[in-house]
């Protein structure tokens, strides 16, 4: 089940308060900080401590897959 577009439009990165990109149904991505937030059981986990850093090569792949 994908995240509703209305919900996606109001979700923000907890670190820089900017918009996030939906990548598949597994994560929300902040390309400005290169941080990926997991989606577990259809629930976005928007905790700074749960996010992971993204390397340059993965950054390009995530941007290509992004739906938002």
């Amino acid at each position: 089940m994908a995240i509703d577009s209305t919900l996606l439009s109001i979700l923000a990165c907890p670190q820089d308060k900017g918009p996030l990109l939906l990548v598949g149904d597994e994560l929300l991505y902040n390309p400005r900080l290169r941080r990926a937030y997991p989606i577990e059981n259809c629930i976005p986990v928007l905790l700074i401590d749960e996010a992971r850093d993204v390397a340059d090569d993965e950054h390009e792949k995530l941007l290509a897959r992004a739906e938002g």
Side-chain angles (χ1 to χ4, degrees):
M1 181 173 155
I3 293 178
D4 179 67
S5 61
T6 304
L7 176 59
L8 183 60
S9 71
I10 61 173
L11 289 176
C13 173
Q15 196 165 357
D16 75 355
K17 312 300 187 244
L20 296 165
L21 301 175
L22 178 62
V23 180
D25 60 354
E26 70 263 12
L27 62 90
L28 291 166
Y29 183 55
N30 179 337
R32 298 167 306 284
L33 300 178
R34 296 188 180 198
R35 302 276 291 162
Y37 295 89
I39 298 174
E40 298 175 359
N41 299 319
C42 298
I43 300 171
V45 181
L46 296 175
L47 300 171
I48 293 172
D49 292 342
E50 295 292 323
R52 64 178 174 81
D53 293 324
V54 171
D56 291 341
D57 58 332
E58 186 182 7
H59 170 76
E60 296 301 325
K61 291 176 186 175
L62 292 176
L63 288 179
R65 291 182 53 212
E67 300 172 13

